[in-house]
Amino acid sequence: MNPNIILAATLAFTGVSTPAPDATADLLRATVAKYQSANVLLTVVSSMSMGGESSNEEMRMPGVVIDASGLIVTSSLGLDSNEMEGVTTKIVSVKIRSGAGVEVAGKVVLRDTDRNLVFIRPSAPLTGVTAINLAPT
């Protein structure tokens, strides 16, 4: 999945105002370029259990840094398999890789299943990233 899609969706979700439709594409391109360094790559290892058997699954997915402390938001789709009857899912580990190539561990701090969002906090400061501005414009 293209990390720019997550960034654009996050900006749209947070109520960033958009001008007339003909200027929307230009606004989104400029915004994505401005906040490109907010994109990170997450490697999530989950343990899935069903009927006494368990296995680990590794997923790579994009995330977006949303505040100066390094808090990251990503989609929970694919991580929350516990919607299937009899299946339980537990996130075992999270690694965060910035565009600058710096990799740190992360921890899930909130899973909002109603909105299909997962919030992850890095265990150490991320270098080479700039959080997106979520303030209304």
Side-chain angles (χ1 to χ4, degrees):
M1 179 183 288
N2 184 334
N4 291 333
I5 292 171
I6 294 282
L7 177 58
T10 301
L11 293 170
F13 177 75
T14 58
V16 172
S17 62
T18 57
D22 57 338
T24 301
D26 290 337
L27 174 67
L28 285 174
R29 277 190 211 92
T31 303
V32 167
K34 180 178 179 180
Y35 293 111
Q36 184 65 37
S37 68
N39 288 312
V40 294
L41 178 64
L42 304 170
T43 303
V44 180
V45 177
S46 296
S47 173
M48 297 176 71
S49 301
M50 184 170 126
E53 294 185 30
S54 66
S55 64
N56 285 352
E57 179 180 311
E58 180 177 287
M59 293 184 66
R60 289 203 165 102
M61 54 200 314
V64 177
V65 179
I66 60 170
D67 76 6
S69 74
L71 185 65
I72 297 164
V73 66
T74 191
S75 171
S76 67
L77 297 176
L79 294 179
D80 287 322
S81 301
N82 54 355
E83 293 177 4
M84 297 184 295
E85 191 172 319
V87 176
T88 57
T89 304
K90 179 182 177 188
I91 295 177
V92 176
S93 68
V94 178
K95 289 182 188 172
I96 305 162
R97 184 177 178 94
S98 72
V102 176
E103 192 170 285
V104 299
K107 178 181 178 183
V108 173
V109 292
L110 176 67
R111 291 173 92 163
D112 185 338
T113 55
D114 292 335
R115 293 178 180 86
N116 293 323
L117 297 174
V118 174
F119 294 86
I120 298 168
R121 179 143 341 261
S123 62
L126 293 170
T127 56
V129 300
T130 302
I132 63 172
N133 181 4
L134 294 178
T137 57

